[in-house]
Amino acid sequence: MGFFGTYLFDGHRWTAHQPAEQPTIPEPWLLVDIHDSDIATLTYRPPGPGSGVAYLGDTPRTYFENPDASAPTDVAREAAGLGAWWAQQHGGASDTERRAKEAELAAYLAEDLDPADIDLDDEDDDDLDDAEIFVEVKTARFLAALDLPVPDDLPPMTTPAAGRDLHDPTV
């Protein structure tokens, strides 16, 4: 059984939240819903130029092999939306800083894949980084890229290069 958890960031701190329940707090906020270590749904407000929903790991369309499981994903659009969200959290970062953050965040986001294009036999788990196997690891790294603390319920982990504790709110 994988990891499940839903967390709401209200602009200051994380709290546990009910899955599939939209927040009723004032914007800005970020909702992270982790499903079975495979999908992390990121819902963010205000959405800026994005749709307000992005994914880490797999998209529901890919995971469930069902095009009706979620709306089509546009990684560039969601990276722009999340970059705008990040800039708002940082008092209006410059356009250069926001564009750099968009590029950094885009590398984390999941895109829709045709299940026929996924070759599971070609991947050796020993060669994969933990973030490619466990979406909660990728989520912690993504939140660090957003310059946010990591919810306490996520498994303790560090960034691969820096070895820093992502639960430390001073990082």
Side-chain angles (χ1 to χ4, degrees):
M1 175 170 243
F3 183 89
F4 291 84
T6 305
Y7 311 94
L8 176 64
F9 184 74
D10 65 5
H12 304 288
R13 68 182 177 283
W14 291 101
T15 56
H17 198 75
Q18 293 298 315
E21 181 181 302
Q22 288 296 303
T24 57
I25 63 172
E27 297 175 356
W29 51 261
L30 173 69
L31 182 67
V32 175
D33 185 12
I34 299 171
H35 176 81
D36 201 19
S37 293
D38 293 313
I39 300 172
T41 303
L42 309 168
T43 308
Y44 58 96
R45 297 292 184 273
S51 72
V53 178
Y55 301 99
L56 305 177
D58 291 316
T59 69
R61 294 166 65 93
T62 300
Y63 183 77
F64 295 111
E65 298 182 18
N66 179 350
D68 296 328
S70 62
T73 302
D74 182 338
V75 168
R77 179 180 177 197
E78 298 316 324
L82 287 158
W85 188 91
W86 172 85
Q88 181 183 14
Q89 290 292 303
H90 289 82
S94 72
D95 283 344
T96 302
E97 292 170 318
R98 183 186 43 74
R99 281 192 301 274
K101 186 56 69 173
E102 286 176 24
E104 179 183 8
L105 298 175
Y108 288 92
L109 301 180
E111 62 183 325
D112 295 323
L113 300 174
D114 183 342
D117 294 338
I118 301 171
D119 185 4
L120 297 176
D121 293 333
D122 198 31
E123 293 186 12
D124 183 1
D125 284 353
D126 293 337
D127 295 335
L128 294 176
D129 181 271
D130 283 350
E132 298 307 315
I133 301 170
F134 305 106
V135 79
E136 58 271 25
V137 174
K138 183 174 268 189
T139 301
R141 293 179 187 172
F142 176 82
L143 295 174
L146 273 177
D147 301 319
L148 296 177
V150 175
D152 289 336
D153 289 350
L154 288 182
M157 61 203 76
T158 58
T159 59
R164 63 185 179 143
D165 182 353
L166 297 180
H167 290 281
D168 182 351
T170 62
V171 296

